[in-house]
Amino acid sequence: MDTGTFHVVNQGVCTWHAFARTILELSHRPGVRVDPISSRELNRDALRPSYSVLHTQKFSRETGMALRQWPEALKDYLRLAGEEDRSLPPGETGREG
């Protein structure tokens, strides 16, 4: 078995902006504005690459598994975390019990 760092992330790629917008859409928060900015605009001390994506080839090769697409996984995560319930009136969770 291979050793070292294994990146384990869902399939697909997106920007931080697209990720934030998808979270807001799935959480039923249409009034929240998210503006894209460049890494340069963050004014961070560390230089950032213009394009960086975590690849899961090592994980897939060693396990024979591939994870599902990130939007599907995010939707399930938000559902389980209760974030999709934000569209309900305060105090109602939409859950039994």
Side-chain angles (χ1 to χ4, degrees):
M1 175 171 206
D2 203 344
T3 60
T5 302
F6 282 72
H7 296 293
V8 182
V9 296
N10 290 97
Q11 299 293 313
V13 298
C14 72
T15 63
W16 283 110
H17 177 253
F19 189 60
R21 287 185 50 111
T22 303
I23 290 169
L24 293 170
E25 288 169 17
L26 293 174
S27 299
H28 308 290
R29 298 176 189 220
V32 178
R33 183 175 147 185
V34 177
D35 295 323
I37 63 170
S38 68
S39 293
R40 181 176 295 140
E41 292 173 275
L42 286 174
N43 278 334
R44 302 282 185 192
D45 291 334
L47 295 176
R48 299 286 181 214
S50 61
Y51 182 78
S52 63
V53 175
L54 295 177
H55 293 283
T56 60
Q57 289 97 338
K58 187 175 176 181
F59 170 77
S60 296
R61 181 180 64 243
E62 292 294 324
T63 65
M65 298 174 10
L67 299 180
R68 59 195 168 149
Q69 292 290 316
W70 71 266
E72 180 186 345
L74 177 61
K75 185 174 184 175
D76 281 348
Y77 171 80
L78 292 174
R79 181 180 52 78
L80 291 170
E83 288 300 311
E84 286 190 327
D85 295 335
R86 298 273 187 197
S87 62
L88 299 173
E92 292 186 30
T93 64
R95 296 183 187 136
E96 297 287 328

